[in-house]
Amino acid sequence: MIRINENYNKLQSSYLFSEIAKRVSTFQEANPDKALIRLGIGDVTHALPPACIDALHNAVDEMAADATFRGYGPEQGYPFLRTAIAEYDFKKNGIKIDSDEIFVSDGSKCDTGNFQELLAGDISVAVPDPVYPVYVDTNVMAGRTGANHHGRYEGLVYLPSTAENGFVPDVPAEPVDLIYLCFPNNPTGATATRDQLKEWVDYAHKNKALILFDAAYEAFITDKTLPRSIYEIDGAREVAVEFRSFSKTAGFTGTRCAFTVVPHECRAFDANGGQQLLHPLWNRRHTTKFNGVSYPVQCAAAAVYTPAGREQVNALVSGYLDNARIINESIRAQGYETAGGVNSPYVWIKTGTDSWEFFDRLLNAAGVVVTPGSGFGACGQGYIRISAFNSAENVKTAMERIKTALQ
Ligand code: MLT
């Protein structure tokens, strides 16, 4: 008899962004003339930078001739892209990361979701609350939790990220084995200082733990005193894996390209306490289950690091940061407390009412889609997240509409 993985039955009924999409499409069917403004899922709206488009076109032309055509590429990514990443994202910032420590993939969602496969089924796992749901759901699927009660899974260690701690969770009092961190944070927009990240790196050394550090939004950090990579912290190479993405930075949400950094020294332990390096394990997994990002897309990603590409990407990021500032100012002017929106494309807003109720209110009265904070965890109840990923014009219109709706 074919049997299912019963852990899937523990999952909440639908993935957060699928539930939002369902409510939005029900609303749109009932109100076909209403032009919605989408500030919910963090999906970029501006076209790819011209440097990336040129590179894409050239690569497509190469694929059109036998002499330049490419079939399977290296699963880990083409050397031209891995070298550019190591050089511009790390070495130029004084961080030691070698090109062969970089694994190019089709997204940080997949990589943050898949990495736990390398680890034992009975490890303890800590996640911030609120949290990007992928970290939680993939551990539920893998059987590392019990049932869900009132929005929390038995067996997970939740690290509250609240206004009291500036939305940066404290290290837990108990030892845990695996820790997910995300800075700039999705969904709160909070950033962590070097001292705060150092506490986590020290904790991981002391407890023989591993940190999965999601840095998908690092490009939005403009404050030079804030770390953009966990590898800016001494000792992080042994205890942390970092995930980065071209999605939000260079507009690749639909094009798909990201990368994961697994330093050679990064380790876990076997059942006898013997140290085992994660780089060869991730390499084994990656080469077995993944056949690489397409050549044209990797060419487009590499173009991000050319002088023109860097300038164009900076302009995109500044535009979205400007939107975040407008959202922050407008919402605060209406008397709401906010966090994030500076060094981050997300603004986290205390609503004072149930998150889904506020979501429905903004959808129905303003025609603006946001994300209910409770969808990210129990500590997100009473909050909503507004994303800055849209045109400046739409963001301004959305703010006007929200102002009217809330009056
Ligand atoms: C979000 O809105 O939280 C993100 O867009 C989701 C993602 O990157 O998968």
Side-chain angles (χ1 to χ4, degrees), residues 89-90 93-95 168 181-185 189-201 213-234 236 240 242-244 342-344:
D89 279 340
F90 297 101
N93 299 324
I95 304 168
V168 179
L181 293 178
C182 171
F183 292 108
N185 186 257
T191 48
T193 62
R194 278 200 174 77
D195 287 348
Q196 285 167 326
L197 286 191
K198 182 174 177 338
E199 270 189 58
W200 280 105
V201 168
F213 189 77
D214 187 347
Y217 299 94
E218 55 77 32
F220 293 86
I221 295 181
T222 53
D223 180 342
K224 297 258 185 292
T225 66
L226 292 172
R228 289 173 73 151
S229 166
I230 196 156
Y231 303 120
E232 291 182 39
I233 312 302
D234 281 346
E242 184 165 298
F243 303 90
R244 290 199 180 193
V342 184
N343 299 302
S344 159

Side-chain angles (χ1 to χ4, degrees), residues 17 41-42 109 132 186 217 248 346 385:
F17 293 106
I41 191 166
K109 178 179 183 173
Y132 180 43
N186 179 12
Y217 299 94
K248 319 290 161 130
Y346 294 129
R385 188 194 76 178

Side-chain angles (χ1 to χ4, degrees), residues 329-348:
E329 286 173 3
S330 165
I331 298 289
R332 279 187 193 197
Q334 292 166 66
Y336 290 88
E337 277 173 40
T338 70
V342 184
N343 299 302
S344 159
Y346 294 129
V347 185
W348 188 239

Side-chain angles (χ1 to χ4, degrees), residues 17-227:
F17 293 106
S18 313
E19 174 62 26
I20 294 172
K22 203 167 84 194
R23 290 194 189 208
V24 169
S25 90
T26 307
F27 174 86
Q28 197 74 91
E29 272 164 33
N31 304 275
D33 300 331
K34 184 94 189 170
L36 286 179
I37 300 179
R38 292 167 199 271
L39 304 178
I41 191 166
D43 191 5
V44 294
T45 56
H46 292 300
L48 289 172
C52 299
I53 290 294
D54 287 347
L56 260 179
H57 279 300
N58 291 339
V60 169
D61 286 344
E62 285 183 58
M63 297 299 263
D66 287 349
T68 47
F69 169 81
R70 314 255 178 155
Y72 291 127
E75 294 95 338
Q76 302 88 342
Y78 281 102
F80 64 79
L81 178 56
R82 298 172 89 197
T83 308
I85 292 169
E87 183 64 29
Y88 288 100
D89 279 340
F90 297 101
K91 283 185 196 139
K92 272 209 168 350
N93 299 324
I95 304 168
K96 178 187 151 21
I97 291 294
D98 290 332
S99 60
D100 68 347
E101 296 175 316
I102 289 158
F103 293 84
V104 175
S105 78
D106 61 351
S108 288
K109 178 179 183 173
C110 324
D111 286 353
T112 54
N114 290 330
F115 205 88
Q116 50 75 31
E117 264 185 52
L118 267 49
L119 308 166
D122 58 356
I123 53 167
S124 54
V125 180
V127 291
D129 179 5
V131 66
Y132 180 43
V134 172
Y135 316 152
V136 173
D137 288 359
T138 50
N139 277 288
V140 176
M141 292 168 178
R144 292 198 185 90
T145 73
N148 188 296
H149 299 291
H150 310 294
R152 285 193 161 186
Y153 288 96
E154 282 168 3
L156 279 189
V157 175
Y158 287 93
L159 308 168
S161 307
T162 60
E164 286 67 42
N165 58 23
F167 302 100
V168 179
D170 301 317
V171 296
E174 71 264 52
V176 294
D177 303 315
L178 178 64
I179 302 139
Y180 288 84
L181 293 178
C182 171
F183 292 108
N185 186 257
N186 179 12
T188 66
T191 48
T193 62
R194 278 200 174 77
D195 287 348
Q196 285 167 326
L197 286 191
K198 182 174 177 338
E199 270 189 58
W200 280 105
V201 168
D202 291 349
Y203 174 94
H205 275 281
K206 185 164 158 230
N207 294 288
K208 297 189 165 176
L210 178 72
I211 298 170
L212 297 186
F213 189 77
D214 187 347
Y217 299 94
E218 55 77 32
F220 293 86
I221 295 181
T222 53
D223 180 342
K224 297 258 185 292
T225 66
L226 292 172

